Amino acid sequence: MRFWTCAAAAIGLIAPLGGCATMARGTTETFVVETLPGDATVTTSFGGVCRASPCAFLGVSREAEFTVRIERAGYQTQVHKVSHRLAGGGVTSTVGNALFPVASTVAFIVDATNGATQQLNPNPLRITLQPEPR
């Protein structure tokens, strides 16, 4: 009886912390845009603006889906889609949930639903701009 009381208390303390991927990776990441040539204006559909590439947008949700518009005078404007995919590090961290078998179901659900197992794709977004036709 005492074991089950301690186990229940441990689950009560561990479960609110989230899953292993959530704690190890977080639910956001930095999204980077690199252009050749540099000094391009980068605009995202989530409202981010950078006036001179390369750019870094902080705190982007790992499960975000958005578009990126890249403009520079004398070059063709480009629009690219960014999505997300399962991250290797996210899977590894989620497997760590098995260290707490009783709480692993809760931790796995937390990791799977908050985006901690995902990563933006592509990231970084590397673009070579094409000159305007003459």
Side-chain angles (χ1 to χ4, degrees), residues 3-88:
F3 169 79
W4 293 112
T5 304
C6 289
I11 291 170
L13 293 173
I14 293 169
L17 296 176
C20 288
T22 302
M23 290 185 288
R25 297 171 37 86
T27 58
T28 64
E29 68 182 281
T30 299
F31 174 66
V32 176
V33 179
E34 300 170 353
T35 65
L36 223 174
D39 292 334
T41 299
V42 179
T43 309
T44 68
S45 59
F46 62 75
V49 177
C50 172
R51 304 259 180 247
S53 60
C55 304
F57 299 93
L58 306 176
V60 180
S61 170
R62 290 184 182 279
E63 5 178 52
E65 293 191 2
F66 54 94
T67 57
V68 179
R69 182 180 184 90
I70 302 167
E71 300 173 286
R72 186 172 194 254
Y75 291 85
Q76 296 176 15
T77 297
Q78 293 192 27
V79 177
H80 296 273
K81 184 173 182 165
V82 176
S83 189
H84 57 89
R85 65 184 167 109
L86 188 62

Side-chain angles (χ1 to χ4, degrees), residues 11-12 14-20 22 94 97 100-114:
I11 291 170
I14 293 169
L17 296 176
C20 288
T22 302
T94 299
N97 292 332
F100 301 101
V102 180
S104 65
T105 302
V106 172
F108 178 79
I109 291 169
V110 168
D111 285 345
T113 59
N114 71 8

